[in-house]
Amino acid sequence: MGRKRGFDEATVLQVVRDQFWTTGFAGTSTYDLMEATGLGKGSIYKAFGNKHDLYVRVFSDYCQGLVAEARERLQGGPEAVLPSPIARLECYLVAVANVFAYESPHRGCFLSKVTADRAGEDEKVAQTARRAFDDLAGAFAATIRDAQDAGEVADDVDSSALGYVLLSVIRGIDSIAKADVDGVMLEQTVRSALALIPRAAPPRAEG
């Protein structure tokens, strides 16, 4: 029977993620992780592997949580607070934009930071980032298809392409918010992007 760990894994992973979020992969040493977590080098390696293993682990966990939250907030069904798919999409995207705009300090999204820092040279990171981007764009696309079914959006709209357009808008907001761009302008950017989605024509009156 193995010995019970003397630490809470979820808490340690959160501390590690925040350390990487603040100082990046190259700027974080194993000793930095030891100091942040209070664990010895041997304990870290035994539980999580080397620094790169731990980096990929916390990045993957973050991406899975980000996608799961987006899907939960965008999905419809009898429990949905907002019955309109377009309204749910707008509510979610505006909320995300406001987080980027008004957080202090402006550290942005961990997905964006890791992608910029490591995806060009680390295939595991690149694969995880691509999957997260595909899944987020897919969640937006699924909501747009729901809006088409509800008669809110034109049937000839390419929902998959539009899902990536909205993803690009919100990722861009993540980037420029770090320069302290006005939050009202960032929110209006989201609303303007959504307003460009072709709406379904109203039903023709009979008679």
Side-chain angles (χ1 to χ4, degrees):
M1 183 175 179
R3 294 178 57 188
K4 185 177 180 180
R5 289 177 178 173
F7 60 87
D8 180 72
E9 181 175 294
T11 300
V12 168
L13 290 173
Q14 182 175 344
V15 169
V16 168
R17 183 199 66 195
D18 288 344
Q19 182 68 47
F20 282 130
W21 203 333
T22 301
T23 56
F25 180 80
T28 303
S29 69
T30 301
Y31 294 103
D32 291 329
L33 298 177
M34 291 166 57
E35 182 176 357
T37 63
L39 298 177
K41 184 176 181 180
S43 297
I44 292 176
Y45 277 32
K46 183 177 180 181
F48 306 109
N50 59 30
K51 185 179 88 165
H52 182 260
D53 293 335
L54 194 47
Y55 185 75
V56 172
R57 166 72 182 277
V58 296
F59 180 50
S60 178
D61 288 352
Y62 177 87
C63 289
Q64 290 176 26
L66 189 68
V67 170
E69 180 184 9
R71 286 172 171 164
E72 181 179 356
R73 294 180 63 178
L74 291 169
Q75 69 183 359
E79 301 300 322
V81 176
L82 297 171
S84 161
I86 283 293
R88 291 198 302 272
L89 189 59
E90 181 175 2
C91 182
Y92 173 77
L93 292 175
V94 166
V96 172
N98 283 334
V99 168
F100 294 148
Y102 298 112
E103 66 178 353
S104 182
H106 290 297
R107 66 176 185 171
C109 176
F110 192 47
L111 169 56
S112 297
K113 179 178 179 62
V114 172
T115 301
D117 286 350
R118 298 289 301 173
E121 58 190 279
D122 189 321
E123 183 57 27
K124 285 188 176 180
V125 166
Q127 288 176 354
T128 302
R130 282 197 300 269
R131 184 165 56 249
F133 288 137
D134 283 343
D135 288 345
L136 287 169
F140 299 155
T143 308
I144 292 165
R145 288 192 293 273
D146 288 343
Q148 289 173 317
D149 292 340
E152 295 182 316
V153 171
D155 289 336
D156 59 352
V157 167
D158 185 336
S159 59
S160 296
L162 192 52
Y164 250 100
V165 169
L166 294 176
L167 176 66
S168 299
V169 169
I170 205 67
R171 292 294 111 188
I173 287 175
D174 175 21
S175 178
I176 63 178
K178 296 185 182 72
D180 204 25
V181 173
D182 180 64
V184 174
M185 178 58 69
L186 296 180
E187 179 178 329
Q188 187 56 44
T189 299
V190 169
R191 297 188 190 278
S192 296
L194 289 167
L196 295 174
I197 299 175
R199 296 304 198 260
R204 297 178 62 180
E206 297 181 4

